[in-house]
Amino acid sequence: MPTIIKDARAFTADRAWGARNLALVEGASVRLHWTNQPYAWHVNNGREVFVVMDGAVEMRYKSGGTESRVTLNAGDIFIADVGDEHAAHPLG
């Protein structure tokens, strides 16, 4: 039976980076996060995919010791590979 999620844009959490677990896909968790606060710089041991559903997020990432930033708007996707240092900062 397929899973159909029609209320994703309306999701909110009781705290910044609160999450709703959606699925496990080949051992990787798929989660819907809500936030109004930045997340700390971090590195994952697996790929991480960010899909902005509403609003805007400034993704900060480091490559070769240099910090870069990109603004993601609704519909944009950012994929952090294994070892990519990154931090998400919601705008507005």
Side-chain angles (χ1 to χ4, degrees), residues 37-48:
Q37 299 294 318
Y39 200 80
W41 282 96
H42 65 286
V43 175
N44 297 90
N45 58 2
R47 281 184 155 171
E48 190 170 18

Side-chain angles (χ1 to χ4, degrees), residues 1 5 9 11 19 21 27 41-42 46-47 50 55 66 74-75 82-84:
M1 179 86 182
I5 300 166
R9 287 186 66 161
F11 172 73
N21 292 321
W41 282 96
H42 65 286
R47 281 184 155 171
F50 294 83
T66 301
V82 175
D84 286 344

Side-chain angles (χ1 to χ4, degrees), residues 6-17:
K6 297 187 70 153
D7 64 345
R9 287 186 66 161
F11 172 73
T12 59
D14 60 353
R15 61 183 170 76
W17 294 100

Side-chain angles (χ1 to χ4, degrees), residues 12-77:
T12 59
D14 60 353
R15 61 183 170 76
W17 294 100
R20 177 176 163 188
N21 292 321
L22 301 177
L24 271 177
V25 178
E26 296 181 12
S29 62
V30 179
R31 304 175 84 197
L32 178 62
H33 285 276
W34 172 90
T35 193
N36 59 358
Q37 299 294 318
Y39 200 80
W41 282 96
H42 65 286
V43 175
N44 297 90
N45 58 2
R47 281 184 155 171
E48 190 170 18
V49 178
F50 294 83
V51 179
V52 178
M53 301 205 47
D54 198 17
V57 175
E58 180 182 78
M59 287 300 297
R60 300 176 185 184
Y61 58 98
K62 294 180 182 174
S63 179
T66 301
E67 182 180 328
S68 297
R69 299 173 182 207
V70 62
T71 299
L72 305 174
N73 295 296
D76 292 341
I77 299 170

